[in-house]
Amino acid sequence: MVGPAAKREGVAHLQAVLGLSERRACNIVNADRKTIRYRSCRPPDTELRLRLRELANERKRFGYRRLFVLLRQDGEPSGINRIYRLYREEGLTVRKRRARRRAVGTRAPILVEATPNARWSVDFVHDQFACGRRFRILNIVDDVTRECLAAIPDTSISGRRVARELTALIDQRGKPGMIVSDHGTEFTSNAMLAWAQENKIVWHFIAPGKPMQNGFCESFNGRMRDELLNESLFFGLDHARTKIAEWADDYNEQRPHSALGYLTPAAYAANLTATCDQLRNPDQLRRSHVAPPAPDGVKSAETLIAAG
């Protein structure tokens, strides 16, 4: 028997069934009598457990790390170890789905300029309604900020429709430096090739059979399928459009992203834009790095570091 809990159960069993004394039962299971008599003094944490269960039921595919970030945003001072213990005790562990296949071979890092609109990724995700009719979703992702720029569901999306959606998105956000996609028929159609040439946009096609080269959008597709498509039942196209739009807004504005230091994509994009603006304006950057004056006769470490 390993662990205090198992030894307590063993001592209780020997006392109840065989009628042994506590001293003799502890000698048999090799347990300290103080350990057997110990009773936990931890508070029940009823409110925290209730809030943790509510968040886990609301975000069924979130693990304890993201739930910890959401609790911190609500003002909860508990550390991550305490949250993890309650998470395990409440039985909220997310069930892992087995992957159908694994990527084979080495993975080379993709170099992307650290600015918004430097590179977009586009791809399709397929699902079906409650009646069995299939539909598809056109996902457009900013590879740097991880923002979901568009998630467009429809029963049929042609190359001309993709071109129209990209044109509307460019009018709203500006032109991207590059667009990455696979060799889908919608992306290799004459309408898309003519659109890319007319708008002078570099369109990069990944190697056949290498979805890891479009890893940012593939990762987003996996999160969408895991957190939305596998957890929802769509009764029609209008219902699907409403649910997908709500999830995309929540993904950009509320969901903490682990690759961004658990910031939301919108917050990360705002910080990145502010940094780029400072770099474009050297005077503003110089003023932001001026060290505060120290009191007479005092040279603090913060002042020395800020002053260089």
Side-chain angles (χ1 to χ4, degrees), residues 223-234:
R223 301 286 76 74
M224 171 180 279
R225 183 166 299 282
D226 187 42
E227 299 176 8
L228 175 67
L229 302 183
N230 290 345
E231 300 291 330
S232 304
L233 186 63
F234 303 108

Side-chain angles (χ1 to χ4, degrees), residues 69-185:
V69 174
L70 295 179
L71 288 173
R72 272 296 174 88
Q73 292 176 354
D74 293 341
E76 174 58 43
S78 300
I80 191 170
N81 292 333
R82 184 184 185 189
I83 299 301
Y84 178 68
R85 175 175 60 82
L86 299 179
Y87 177 82
R88 293 292 300 271
E89 291 177 0
E90 294 297 322
L92 302 176
T93 306
V94 179
R95 181 177 61 87
K96 294 183 179 180
R97 296 189 175 101
R98 294 183 59 186
R100 294 185 179 180
R101 56 186 175 181
R102 297 179 181 177
V104 180
T106 59
R107 298 182 179 180
I110 301 176
L111 301 178
V112 181
E113 185 182 0
T115 56
N117 291 341
R119 170 172 160 168
W120 293 356
S121 296
V122 296
D123 199 7
F124 284 100
V125 177
H126 298 263
D127 203 60
Q128 62 182 10
F129 301 122
C131 62
R133 185 180 182 183
R134 298 187 63 84
F135 70 98
R136 55 198 329 209
I137 307 169
L138 173 64
N139 287 331
I140 307 175
V141 178
D142 191 311
D143 290 351
V144 176
T145 64
R146 306 298 202 276
E147 291 177 284
C148 173
L149 305 182
I152 304 159
D154 210 333
T155 54
S156 177
I157 301 178
S158 62
R160 293 182 178 179
R161 173 72 180 281
V162 174
R164 292 198 303 269
E165 297 295 345
L166 288 173
T167 301
L169 190 58
I170 289 175
D171 294 339
Q172 180 182 0
R173 287 182 58 95
K175 185 182 297 185
M178 176 187 296
I179 297 180
V180 180
S181 73
D182 55 18
H183 288 79
T185 56

Side-chain angles (χ1 to χ4, degrees), residues 1-27:
M1 289 179 290
V2 180
K7 291 183 178 181
R8 289 193 190 97
E9 293 179 0
V11 171
H13 176 77
L14 292 176
Q15 288 180 308
V17 177
L18 301 181
L20 300 182
S21 65
E22 182 186 80
R23 184 187 304 274
R24 188 174 181 184
C26 290
N27 290 335

